Amino acid sequence: MPGRTTVAALVPAAGGGTRLGAGPKAFVPLAGRTLLEWSVDGLLESGCVDIVIVAAPADLIDRARSLLPETITVVSGGTERHDSVRNGLAAAGAADVIIVHDAARALTPPDLIRRVVTTAVDGARAVIPGLPVTDTIKTVDPAGVVTGTPPRAQLRAIQTPQAFAADLLAAAHASGAADATDDATLVERLGVAVHVVPGDPLAFKITTPIDLVLAQSLVERGLWKPASTPV
Ligand code: CTP
Ligand code: MG
């Protein structure tokens, strides 16, 4: 690829935060800053993202703009996460690589962002971070009866940011599948190899009240800091 690779980050931040129960989740405070500010700051701190596009709830676009640096584009999100990603994609311009990163993963270390982006810039067309799972995972039928137990050694809990060649992400979203909970699922369905790099426990998604307590505790106790921050 001639010239420098342009990397855009799409931040889906338009969810209602139903499971957390504290209003639109991206605007929930964590140690004095909203989750949206934490996640965007992490992307900027990584130093490997050229453009940041945030998909916010339609009625909170002005609020999002007021919280973020002027260089950041804020668009309206959609009903489902994939609708929000699609709206962000439309604003991504001529980026070569697009990363999609949940606003809810507020404490994601910049080192993880760099690891994912570098692997994509070096040529992998789809890159996602994953961690080994610690629980035993079972599949169940609608009646709650176990139908299988996949071998745990083969399982990974997948996080964001997820990085894709821009044309691949656009094709994946154009394929229209509505039931995927992440972007990589859409790419897998196109038959394209998705590469997993090591994730980071600090990139956990703040989903329920327990997750927010954990995030608050990590920040208050000084146990969270970007790995690049000098000690
Ligand atoms: N998201 C989005 N647009 C939606 C739904 C979700 O941009 N229509 C974003 C969320 O803001 C979040 C990320 O996708 O940053 C992951 O979604 P999730 O953790 O499910 O957040 P919410 O949908 O807000 O939470 P809940 O499902 O509990 O309502
Ligand atoms: Mg949701």
Side-chain angles (χ1 to χ4, degrees):
M1 190 179 305
R4 193 180 160 279
T5 307
T6 302
V7 180
L10 306 186
V11 183
T18 312
R19 287 168 287 180
L20 187 59
K25 194 161 64 181
F27 299 85
V28 168
L30 165 61
R33 282 192 291 162
T34 61
L35 300 188
L36 176 62
E37 289 167 275
W38 278 95
S39 8
V40 169
D41 284 354
L43 288 165
L44 298 176
E45 169 80 12
S46 77
C48 61
V49 169
D50 302 297
I51 305 161
V52 179
I53 299 153
V54 170
D59 58 342
L60 289 170
I61 288 180
D62 287 344
R63 170 126 175 82
R65 287 197 179 121
S66 73
L67 292 169
L68 298 170
E70 277 181 7
T71 49
I72 287 166
T73 301
V74 181
V75 301
S76 175
T79 311
E80 303 292 339
R81 184 184 181 280
H82 62 84
D83 300 313
S84 299
V85 173
R86 262 173 226 168
N87 290 358
L89 261 175
D96 304 297
V97 168
I98 299 183
I99 68 172
V100 184
H101 185 43
D102 293 330
R105 298 184 189 271
L107 298 184
T108 302
D111 265 359
L112 175 62
I113 298 166
R114 282 191 287 269
R115 180 151 72 238
V116 170
V117 169
T118 301
T119 307
V121 169
D122 286 349
R125 286 176 54 78
V127 185
I128 62 177
L131 289 175
V133 298
T134 52
D135 288 321
T136 299
I137 308 288
K138 294 186 188 292
T139 53
V140 293
D141 68 15
V145 176
V146 171
T147 54
T149 307
R152 194 168 62 186
Q154 292 178 14
L155 297 173
R156 297 291 178 274
I158 298 304
Q159 305 174 317
T160 74
Q162 301 188 349
F164 307 95
D167 59 338
L168 176 61
L169 185 63
H173 276 275
S175 68
D179 56 333
T181 52
D182 74 352
D183 302 280
T185 304
L186 302 176
V187 169
E188 289 154 42
R189 288 179 187 164
L190 296 180
V192 175
V194 176
H195 299 268
V196 179
V197 297
D200 191 306
L202 288 171
F204 68 99
K205 185 157 69 72
I206 297 172
T207 305
T208 64
I210 286 176
D211 301 320
L212 188 58
V213 170
L214 173 60
Q216 277 159 345
S217 176
L218 288 166
V219 173
E220 281 162 17
R221 290 160 186 254
L223 297 173
W224 177 88
K225 58 170 69 78
S228 57
T229 301
V231 183

